Amino acid sequence: MALQPSLRPLLIAGRADAPHTLDIFLDYVCPFSGKISVTIDKILKPWVETGGPYDGKIKIIFRNQVQPWHGSSTFTHEAGLAVVRITPEKFWPFSRLLFHRQGDYYDIPTSTLTPVQIREKLASLYAESGVTREEVEAFKDLLTNKSTPNGGVSVTDDLKYTIKFSRQNGVHVSPSVLWDGLLANEISSSWGEPEWKLFLAQKVTV
């Protein structure tokens, strides 16, 4: 599947020219997305990267799946997209850290926080990713409302792209997975190595 140039870092594993594509739609404040993020890290990424059995055959693309019934979902995805702009190589490590700490951004913990406070909290999390003070300040700047009264922040257009991509593909919840552009509804966040091994053995044709 395609990615606009500014979002190429969302390709988190595999070669860009790999013929098969796993588009994995995840929400940072969804516990099931958090669960499958561990599977991506421990099972799928090693399989598609250099030396793995699917090296050169499969690429994995992270798809931001904003779920607006979770109040902080938009803010967490803005944060991920800001990292893409500033330190693209840290996008997946930051995402994994955010998934690990996702409980801090659930509905009740954030219910008494303003948008500015939530973004400050995300900036502190970004600072834990081994970035410089200047990079943290750049992160904060990207997440500051500074245009028209209803114009959003500097990564709003990127956020719109990811939401439109989900909508046009009929993706409504996370985690959802596309295999070569089609929804693979059988895939579950509970899948481990045996289920993924069987699925890929049946699907990979190159």
Side-chain angles (χ1 to χ4, degrees), residues 36-47 96 193:
I36 204 170
S37 75
V38 176
T39 302
I40 293 170
D41 226 25
K42 293 186 175 180
I43 298 173
L44 296 178
K45 279 174 63 68
W47 283 357
R96 287 287 291 119
E193 184 172 334

Side-chain angles (χ1 to χ4, degrees), residues 54-115:
Y54 294 107
D55 177 18
K57 298 179 179 181
I58 301 171
K59 59 182 173 290
I60 301 173
I61 298 177
F62 179 107
R63 296 291 185 177
N64 300 79
Q65 180 64 16
V66 176
Q67 298 188 128
W69 48 88
H70 295 307
S72 68
S73 181
T74 294
F75 302 121
T76 58
H77 286 283
E78 286 177 343
L81 293 169
V83 175
V84 166
R85 293 273 192 100
I86 303 163
T87 50
E89 74 284 357
K90 291 189 179 295
F91 168 72
W92 180 244
F94 173 79
S95 294
R96 287 287 291 119
L97 179 60
L98 184 47
F99 278 122
H100 181 66
R101 303 270 280 279
Q102 65 179 185
D104 294 342
Y105 302 91
Y106 282 176
D107 297 344
I108 291 178
T110 58
S111 62
T112 58
L113 301 179
T114 68

Side-chain angles (χ1 to χ4, degrees), residues 168-180:
Q168 78 169 16
N169 283 286
V171 177
H172 302 290
V173 297
S174 68
S176 293
V177 181
L178 304 187
W179 172 260
D180 289 346

